[in-house]
């Protein structure tokens, strides 16, 4: 507690009424949350009555680690620190049977949901390019706003909206038949349970005596209501957030939820954390002036005693290629002169597509880098397809794998057939693969549907039998040949290069299987079950891996950078139609884009550089670019706008080139 400033101490000590902590960027909000957990326990509250929620596994993991520094393992036993969706899953596991779900339900990921919607659209004689993706997004928006299918149908104002609402209705029915939920259901279904069952609500309010919510400005309508029902009118609540950092409207976040707290909790106390422990005064001056252009729910102004710091640089570049070359050379030169670690540098951008040129330029200079937010190897659809087949070969009760591959490649087994199969399997308390071979199912299906289902399931069952005694690699290769997976991938790809990339990923997976199948030290060869288990473990480790300790330049979108900090930050592509984004300009909705620029600025600790291209290739043609309007909203006295003249100082260019050459020589000397 002695390490806390007065505002932080006040936030930790306040437990009498609901509390809103307005925590500016870099103001130590995680410290406040973890210290408050310890304070609540020291005040007599049992650990199992304290719940803390945030939005990402990484944030939850960090919070747990911080709590572990304050409390012993025994003291913290029973404490719940998790994401919103993990808390929702905990409630649903205990109470989901009240909504007709059985134990062992499946959680469908985005690609599984997409596959289910494709089948529904085909059954309805519809479906076109990207239609199912648009529909999935629409259903997600409905769920985030807690609009059920019946309400969506009533609100429909035209034929298209009515059609989409009907598909939503069938989709939810299909999920129940599959004994499955999607990601959004992990919030909406627990909320529905607490709303409809008074005794359940009372039970969970007695369990959750104090709820601490991080990043409250990112909550959507359903998350806000879930918090309300868990806390109750007199319950303990500590909400921590910053309306200036709300950048997720596209996925349903509502910064106005901070304001709603004052209406729903009349005794709410508000404490502002404005001292920044991250950035120099110049960086904060620029951030404050930029965000002041937005209307505010709560006024606050960040300040720091870390020194004035360097002026912020703005660097115009001829084109996108020149921008990548300049930033890469600058990092190499600065790292060579200063001796800093590569991990101290971050390149931030508005969209993932901007990373490609920088990756190439960094590789040419042998600069190690990590791109965050890219698709994991195990998340690629073709890799998931093959792994799903393997999972089902070793576990015929894996319904999630069955649903993924039943029409991959297409076998014309429709959603209605699968819905009937799922209902029958639940009655028989068997997996869908096993149930599809039973005589009792045939009376419920058309002859054609039953024949197609039986043909596929018989083939798969026979392949599973072979897998028990045959070498894994030849078996998997033969499986892929028998389903004509390569030709299906080529047919599905938008271009030949895309098909080759996907086939290369399948080849890489086969190489892994070959390595894993090699005999162990005791001379035994691993079977397919052991290989699948090892691949599953690799998948989990791949998703949970934390490479922050690696000495690499960090590359990511500004959205992904939220919550992080770096000594040296390069914000690239500061142009009209990039930041702010073209859609925001067309819709005259610049406030969130300004907040995004604010988040980018406040990631920097010591040094911040903006760059933009004077010309950029768009839609196959190079066009002129204008610098972002946000650059002109920054205080001019804090900026060093380089290269305003058309012909930069030749001496400066020469020095940069010399530094670059020196850096390369140094790298060669290390080889």
């Amino acid at each position: 507690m002695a390490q806390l400033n007065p505002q932080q101490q006040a936030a930790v000590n306040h437990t009498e009424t609901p509390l809103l902590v307005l925590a500016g960027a870099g103001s130590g909000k995680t410290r406040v949350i973890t210290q408050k957990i310890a304070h609540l326990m020291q005040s007599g509250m049992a650990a199992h009555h304290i719940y803390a929620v945030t939005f990402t596994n990484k944030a939850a993991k960090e919070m747990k680690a911080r709590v572990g520094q304050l409390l012993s393992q025994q003291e913290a036993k029973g404490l719940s620190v998790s994401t919103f969706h993990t808390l929702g899953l905990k409630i649903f596991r205990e109470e989901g049977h009240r909504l007709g779900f059985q134990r062992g339900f499946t959680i469908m990921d985005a690609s599984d949901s997409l596959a289910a919607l494709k089948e529904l659209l085909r059954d309805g004689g519809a479906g076109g390019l990207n239609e199912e993706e648009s529909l999935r997004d629409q259903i997600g928006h409905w769920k985030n706003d807690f609009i059920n299918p019946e309400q969506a149908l009533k609100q429909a104002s035209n034929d298209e909206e009515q059609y989409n609402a009907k598909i939503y209705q069938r989709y939810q029915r299909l999920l129940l038949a599959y004994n499955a939920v999607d990601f959004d259901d992990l919030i909406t279904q627990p909320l529905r349970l607490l709303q409809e069952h008074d005794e359940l609500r009372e039970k969970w309010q007695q369990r959750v005596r104090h709820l601490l919510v991080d990043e409250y400005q990112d909550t959507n309508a359903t998350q806000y209501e879930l918090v309300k029902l868990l806390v109750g009118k007199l319950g303990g609540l500590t909400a921590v957030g910053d309306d200036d950092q709300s950048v997720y409207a596209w996925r349903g976040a509502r910064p106005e939820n901070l304001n709603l707290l004052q209406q729903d909790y009349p005794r709410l106390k508000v404490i502002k954390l404005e001292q920044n422990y991250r950035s120099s005064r110049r960086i904060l001056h620029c951030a404050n002036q930029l965000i002041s252009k937005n209307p505010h729910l709560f006024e606050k102004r960040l300040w720091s005693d870390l020194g004035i710091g360097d002026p912020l640089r703005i660097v115009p570049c001829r084109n996108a290629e020149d921008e990548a070359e300049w930033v890469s050379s600058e990092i190499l030169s600065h790292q060579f002169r200063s001796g800093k670690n590569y991990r101290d540098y971050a390149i931030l951008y508005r969209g993932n597509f901007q990373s490609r040129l920088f990756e190439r330029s960094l590789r040419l200079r042998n600069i190690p880098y990590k791109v965050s937010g890219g698709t994991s190897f195990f998340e690629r659809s073709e890799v998931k397809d093959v792994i799903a087949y393997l999972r089902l070969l070793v576990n015929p009760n894996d319904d999630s794998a069955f649903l993924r591959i039943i029409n991959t490649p297409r076998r014309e087994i429709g959603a209605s057939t699968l819905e009937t199969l799922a209902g029958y399997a639940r009655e028989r308390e068997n997996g869908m693969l096993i149930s599809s071979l039973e005589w009792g199912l045939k009376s419920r299906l058309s002859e054609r549907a039953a024949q197609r289902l039986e043909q596929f399931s018989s083939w798969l069952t026979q392949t599973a039998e072979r897998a028990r005694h045959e070498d894994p690699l030849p078996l998997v290769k033969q499986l892929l040949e028998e389903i004509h997976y390569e030709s299906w991938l080529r047919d599905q790809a938008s271009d030949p290069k895309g098909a080759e990339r996907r086939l290369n990923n399948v080849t890489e997976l086969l190489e892994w299987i070959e390595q894993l199948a090699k005999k162990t030290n005791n001379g035994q060869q691993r079977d397919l079950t052991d290989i699948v288990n090892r691949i599953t473990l690799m998948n989990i480790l791949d998703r949970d891996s934390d490479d922050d300790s690696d000495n690499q330049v960090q590359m990511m979108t500004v959205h992904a950078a939220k919550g992080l900090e770096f000594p040296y930050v390069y914000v690239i592509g500061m142009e009209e139609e990039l930041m702010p984004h073209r859609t925001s300009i067309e819709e005259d909705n610049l406030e969130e884009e300004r907040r995004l620029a604010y988040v980018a600025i406040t990631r920097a600790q010591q040094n911040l550089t903006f760059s933009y291209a004077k010309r950029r290739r768009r839609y196959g043609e190079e066009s002129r670019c204008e610098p972002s309007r946000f650059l002109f909203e920054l205080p001019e006295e804090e900026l060093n706008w380089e290269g305003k003249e058309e012909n930069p100082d030749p001496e400066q260019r020469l020095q940069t080139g010399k530094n670059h050459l020196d850096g390369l020589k140094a790298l060669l000397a290390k080889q």
Side-chain angles (χ1 to χ4, degrees), residues 53 150 210 212 241 252 282 292 350 417 601 630 664-665 669:
V53 293
E150 292 72 28
H210 201 102
L212 302 100
R282 272 199 169 110
S292 69
R350 181 64 176 81
T417 301
I601 292 171
F630 298 147
L664 289 174
K665 287 179 179 177

Side-chain angles (χ1 to χ4, degrees), residues 386-387 389-391 393-394 463-482 506 509-520 524-535:
V386 178
I387 291 176
Y389 272 99
L390 304 188
R391 282 165 48 195
L393 290 180
V394 302
T463 306
E465 181 62 34
R466 289 170 46 211
R468 292 192 179 95
H469 54 265
E470 291 187 18
D471 290 345
L473 185 62
L475 178 96
V476 176
K477 284 183 174 179
Q478 186 176 345
L479 180 151
L480 294 177
E481 287 174 9
E482 288 176 358
V506 174
L509 179 62
L510 292 175
E511 289 171 356
W512 279 35
I513 291 171
E514 183 178 21
Q515 291 296 319
L516 290 170
K518 287 181 178 178
K519 291 182 179 179
T520 59
Q524 302 242 329
Q525 182 166 336
R526 295 191 179 103
D527 62 14
L528 192 60
T529 301
D530 191 22
I531 290 170
V532 169
N533 288 336
R534 285 172 176 268
I535 288 175

Side-chain angles (χ1 to χ4, degrees), residues 138-166:
Q138 177 59 65
I139 290 173
H141 289 313
W142 273 324
K143 290 187 177 185
N144 286 338
D145 290 334
F146 205 49
I147 297 171
N148 63 35
E150 292 72 28
Q151 290 169 323
L153 200 56
K154 283 181 182 178
Q155 294 174 9
S157 59
N158 55 48
D159 290 345
E160 183 182 354
E161 290 177 5
Q162 191 174 57
Y163 176 77
N164 288 346
K166 286 180 178 177

Side-chain angles (χ1 to χ4, degrees), residues 96-372:
H97 62 277
R98 294 171 182 261
L99 297 175
F101 290 87
Q102 297 177 343
R103 294 182 65 84
F105 57 87
T106 297
I107 301 172
M108 297 177 71
D109 65 16
S111 58
D112 294 332
S113 298
L114 207 61
L117 287 169
K118 278 183 181 178
E119 292 307 318
L120 289 172
L121 289 169
R122 284 192 183 109
D123 265 14
L129 185 63
N130 296 326
E131 184 178 347
E132 61 273 4
E133 291 187 10
S134 174
L135 190 52
R136 183 186 62 186
D137 292 343
Q138 177 59 65
I139 290 173
H141 289 313
W142 273 324
K143 290 187 177 185
N144 286 338
D145 290 334
F146 205 49
I147 297 171
N148 63 35
E150 292 72 28
Q151 290 169 323
L153 200 56
K154 283 181 182 178
Q155 294 174 9
S157 59
N158 55 48
D159 290 345
E160 183 182 354
E161 290 177 5
Q162 191 174 57
Y163 176 77
N164 288 346
K166 286 180 178 177
I167 294 292
Y168 178 23
Q169 211 166 29
R170 289 194 63 199
Y171 172 70
Q172 288 303 105
R173 200 167 66 229
L174 194 68
L175 288 182
L176 182 60
Y178 287 175
N179 195 37
V181 292
D182 64 20
F183 195 62
D184 294 316
D185 284 331
L186 294 178
I187 304 296
T188 57
Q189 298 288 28
L191 177 55
R192 181 181 162 196
L193 283 162
L194 296 180
Q195 281 187 338
E196 295 177 359
H197 301 277
D198 294 345
E199 77 284 1
L200 269 190
R201 188 165 63 251
E202 177 68 23
K203 168 186 168 182
W204 279 91
Q205 286 178 0
Q206 287 297 320
R207 188 178 293 186
V208 182
R209 300 291 177 85
H210 201 102
L211 181 63
L212 302 100
V213 186
D214 190 19
E215 305 286 8
Y216 210 85
Q217 77 282 350
D218 291 338
T219 55
N220 58 34
T222 52
Q223 289 161 339
Y224 184 86
E225 289 301 317
L226 184 63
V227 168
K228 269 180 67 176
L229 292 181
L230 287 172
V231 168
K233 288 186 177 179
L234 300 176
L237 172 66
T238 299
V240 182
D242 180 8
D243 53 323
D244 290 334
Q245 295 188 74
S246 180
V247 293
Y248 290 111
W250 49 275
R251 69 181 189 196
R254 295 184 173 184
E256 60 269 25
N257 284 349
L258 291 171
N259 204 31
L260 282 177
L261 286 170
Q262 294 181 311
Q263 300 174 26
D264 291 326
Y265 304 96
R267 299 170 64 213
L268 182 78
K269 183 176 179 62
V270 179
I271 294 175
K272 298 178 184 180
L273 303 184
E274 298 173 295
Q275 182 174 0
N276 176 283
Y277 293 92
R278 174 188 299 160
S279 306
S280 70
R281 291 205 297 272
R282 272 199 169 110
I283 290 171
L284 294 183
H285 183 198
C286 289
N288 285 331
Q289 181 155 315
L290 176 72
I291 206 63
S292 69
K293 309 295 182 186
N294 273 4
H296 279 78
L297 300 173
F298 304 93
E299 291 295 335
K300 66 180 181 306
R301 193 168 185 83
L302 297 179
W303 62 275
S304 168
D305 58 8
L306 297 179
I308 190 166
D310 301 328
L312 282 66
R313 290 187 300 170
I314 301 174
V315 181
C317 302
R318 281 181 307 149
N319 52 40
E321 290 78 10
D322 188 44
E323 182 183 41
E325 292 289 316
W326 184 86
V327 171
S328 303
S329 294
E330 174 75 8
I331 290 174
L332 183 65
S333 175
H334 188 276
Q335 191 276 335
F336 172 66
R337 287 183 281 109
S338 66
K340 299 292 183 183
N341 291 312
Y342 281 117
R343 72 172 73 95
D344 293 334
Y345 301 86
I347 301 173
L348 308 183
Y349 35 82
R350 181 64 176 81
N352 280 309
F353 72 92
Q354 292 171 262
S355 70
R356 184 179 57 82
L357 290 173
F358 285 81
E359 289 187 69
R360 184 178 68 185
S361 188
L362 291 167
R363 281 198 302 268
L364 285 172
R365 290 163 175 78
N366 292 322
I367 299 174
Y369 67 89
K370 175 191 174 187
V371 180
S372 299

Side-chain angles (χ1 to χ4, degrees), residues 380-411:
R380 299 185 186 280
S381 62
E382 59 275 11
V383 175
K384 292 177 77 172
D385 289 344
V386 178
I387 291 176
Y389 272 99
L390 304 188
R391 282 165 48 195
L392 205 55
L393 290 180
V394 302
N395 177 14
N397 290 315
D398 192 335
D399 285 347
S400 178
F402 180 86
L403 290 169
R404 180 173 187 90
I405 56 95
I406 185 67
N407 278 308
T408 306
R410 178 80 177 143
R411 298 184 177 90

Side-chain angles (χ1 to χ4, degrees), residues 341-344 370 546-554:
N341 291 312
Y342 281 117
R343 72 172 73 95
D344 293 334
K370 175 191 174 187
D546 186 1
D547 295 330
D548 289 349
S549 59
D550 292 347
N551 191 21
Q552 301 168 311
V553 172
Q554 302 295 305

